[in-house]
Amino acid sequence: MEKLVIEGGRPLQGRARMEGAKNAALPILAASMLAEGPVGIDNVPDLLDIHVMLDILRSLGAAASMEGRKVCVDASKGFASEIPEALMSKMRSSIFLMGPLLAKFGEVTIYQPGGCAIGERKIDLHLMGLEALGAKIVEQGNRITCSAKRLMGADITLDFPSVGATENIMMAAVKAEGITTISNAAREPEIGDLQQFLNRMGAKVIGAGTDTITIEGVERLASCEHRVIPDRIVAGTLMVAAAATRGNVTLEGVVPGHLLSVIHVLRRAGVQIAIDDDIMNVSGARRPIAVERIVTSPYPAFPTDLQAQMMVLLALSEGLSVMKETVFEGRFKHVDELNAMGADIRVDLNSAFIRGVPRLYGAHVEATDLRAGAALVIAGLAANGRTVVDHIHHIDRGYVSIEKLFSQLGGQIERTASVQQDRMASSM
Ligand code: UD1
């Protein structure tokens, strides 16, 4: 099994250019099933989840190819509306296909994606939204079929601003008869990117980025070209890593406006951040200061997807910080691993109490999920000595070659495939 071997203690220095956002690309790829002609999507990150999504599109009868960062999908001959269970179980994001397939074929069958490492991850809000548009939902075991002769626009209020439910409802409503409004919609930038993509295909969607999205149904959606927005979570990961290693890193091709809550928290921790259009310099020359209270919440608040990474910086800061997680239960699996590296973190219900220590020490740790894995890599880069991170397939779901991302900035990090290579890495 592959692992990452990190020799820590070197400040990260240099420049890095941002990849496209996985969480924007996945729903956009699902939405491409709606077009009655080929669509071209650029700046798609070369990640396993993207390839699983392309496999699913092919299994549904679409032609889908990826060359470099450019994906072409032609779903005009799409024929199937059942997502194979084997592919569905590989990636939770396959639920994004519910809305588009229901709109395209009047029917869709999926298999419950089930829970995952960071919590239960229900889909009741997705189903409630589709039902409100007129879909009949039949659940048999873990098989769910939604069908509707004609989708009808509706006023839908979400109990919680779920990102996925907002996106699924948008993608179904673009071809519904009449007007749909989604109240208490999620406001994440990825939803704005989906709105732009849908509108480029001919949809009429307004309001993404606010808590009310309005969709006027259209008959047809056509070919278009689109470029995916930069990945704000990868950018945030690099910002925290720069600060935690007391380095100086310049990020190119970022959208600072998508990272305001992160910039605010890092500045409170004493990190220097300079912004010039889409370029951001992050410098953490001094030991960070504790941040009294950070609460993860839906956008524009501090993102749950950066909670684990930020905890590494807090673990190294001066004083006591509190991190409250309100989006996913069970998202503190990295805490035991960080404590094994010398951190002093105690969890009580959904809050972590982090007493900063002057340094972390290398250890053998395990990535339990995508962002927890990224946090352990940052901890390894900042720690004294060698860290080995196991179960890195989780990390590969969201970072295109994380070892290259950090080694271009001077981090000593290598991927090893076997025990033998692990020994070779010991000479680096
Ligand atoms: C998306 C992101 C993920 C991020 C999350 C929150 C993608 C591919 N993934 O996930 O990286 O961590 O937003 O920013 O974009 N919930 C329900 N019922 C539902 C749907 C959600 O109760 O029908 C709950 C979930 O269990 C969770 C919370 O709502 O506690 C947030 O989930 P949601 O916003 O839907 O996240 P995802 O779209 O799954």
Side-chain angles (χ1 to χ4, degrees):
M1 200 189 280
E2 290 190 321
K3 48 186 93 175
L4 292 169
V5 180
I6 305 164
E7 294 293 337
R10 285 154 208 266
L12 294 178
Q13 307 272 355
R15 303 175 86 84
R17 180 153 272 282
M18 288 308 100
E19 296 271 354
K22 164 183 87 85
N23 286 354
L26 286 170
I28 285 172
L29 287 173
S32 71
M33 282 303 289
L34 288 163
E36 291 174 25
V39 296
I41 307 160
D42 208 350
N43 207 27
V44 178
D46 190 4
L47 294 167
L48 183 63
D49 278 8
I50 298 290
H51 290 284
V52 174
M53 180 61 91
L54 295 178
D55 282 344
I56 294 176
L57 299 186
R58 288 183 198 110
S59 78
L60 298 169
S65 63
M66 181 165 188
E67 262 177 61
R69 300 286 180 262
K70 176 122 192 218
V71 168
C72 291
V73 178
D74 185 352
S76 48
K77 294 193 182 68
F79 51 76
S81 62
E82 175 158 346
I83 302 169
E85 189 172 9
L87 288 173
M88 185 92 210
S89 64
K90 277 193 184 171
M91 185 183 60
R92 193 180 180 283
S93 299
S94 39
I95 52 166
F96 287 137
L97 282 153
M98 275 197 316
L101 294 183
L102 183 62
K104 188 180 176 93
F105 297 114
E107 184 173 276
V108 57
T109 298
I110 63 149
Y111 292 83
Q112 267 281 7
C116 76
I118 62 171
E120 198 185 351
R121 303 194 85 164
K122 292 182 287 189
I123 58 165
D124 56 321
L125 298 172
H126 299 241
L127 298 179
M128 178 279 291
L130 299 180
E131 211 163 19
L133 295 173
K136 184 166 168 274
I137 293 170
V138 179
E139 295 188 47
Q140 287 171 305
N142 68 339
R143 190 173 190 265
I144 303 174
T145 301
C146 308
S147 55
K149 281 210 178 70
R150 187 92 182 94
L151 292 173
M152 301 296 289
D155 291 336
I156 300 168
T157 301
L158 296 177
D159 287 345
F160 179 89
S162 154
V163 177
T166 302
E167 293 170 334
N168 239 331
I169 298 166
M170 283 166 79
M171 293 187 280
V174 285
K175 287 188 77 179
E177 200 175 313
I179 292 180
T180 298
T181 58
I182 310 173
S183 302
N184 199 25
R187 292 187 276 166
E188 271 69 1
E190 292 74 21
I191 290 166
D193 208 27
L194 178 63
Q195 169 176 292
Q196 200 169 41
F197 177 70
L198 291 169
N199 287 345
R200 286 197 166 125
M201 289 195 295
K204 293 186 177 164
V205 187
I206 55 167
T210 74
D211 63 4
T212 307
I213 297 175
T214 306
I215 304 131
E216 187 184 334
V218 296
E219 278 296 320
R220 308 185 51 241
L221 293 163
S223 301
C224 76
E225 295 282 325
H226 182 78
R227 188 177 167 81
V228 173
I229 54 169
D231 196 315
R232 66 193 166 98
I233 304 300
V234 174
T237 302
L238 285 169
M239 291 165 76
V240 174
T245 59
R246 315 256 176 105
N248 188 321
V249 170
T250 300
L251 305 181
E252 297 173 345
V254 277
V255 183
H258 293 170
L259 285 154
L260 295 181
S261 62
V262 181
I263 293 168
H264 177 66
V265 167
L266 284 172
R267 282 188 172 146
R268 275 170 67 200
V271 178
Q272 304 282 314
I273 299 173
I275 298 167
D276 180 11
D277 196 18
D278 69 344
I279 296 181
M280 185 150 52
N281 177 266
V282 183
S283 140
R286 271 180 264 115
R287 185 173 176 199
I289 312 154
V291 182
E292 216 175 297
R293 189 177 152 82
I294 305 172
V295 182
T296 70
S297 278
Y299 191 85
F302 192 84
T304 174
D305 282 354
L306 285 172
Q307 176 255 107
Q309 300 90 315
M310 184 61 72
M311 204 177 286
V312 178
L313 188 76
L314 302 176
L316 286 164
S317 65
E318 209 166 339
L320 178 71
S321 307
V322 180
M323 174 73 86
K324 185 169 178 189
E325 170 62 60
T326 74
V327 181
F328 290 109
E329 80 275 24
R331 212 177 188 179
F332 283 139
K333 299 229 167 71
H334 44 282
V335 167
D336 285 346
E337 307 299 292
L338 292 177
N339 283 344
M341 296 178 75
D344 181 358
I345 307 171
R346 186 175 58 79
V347 172
D348 186 17
L349 299 173
N350 62 350
S351 292
F353 298 83
I354 306 137
R355 193 168 294 284
V357 294
R359 58 188 60 84
L360 297 173
Y361 297 93
H364 196 132
V365 290
E366 199 172 287
T368 49
D369 64 74
L370 165 56
R371 307 302 172 186
L376 296 178
V377 171
I378 298 174
L381 290 165
N384 283 12
R386 168 170 307 171
T387 295
V388 177
V389 185
D390 255 328
H391 290 204
I392 58 172
H393 54 278
H394 291 297
I395 304 176
D396 291 337
R397 288 189 35 238
Y399 296 85
V400 181
S401 182
I402 199 162
E403 68 278 16
K404 286 199 187 118
L405 187 66
F406 284 119
S407 55
Q408 68 176 334
L409 297 171
Q412 286 234 336
I413 170 167
E414 259 190 24
R415 182 181 293 255
T416 69
S418 67
V419 178
Q420 199 184 0
Q421 275 174 302
D422 194 13
R423 277 200 208 106
M424 276 164 55
S426 66
S427 58
M428 68 184 203

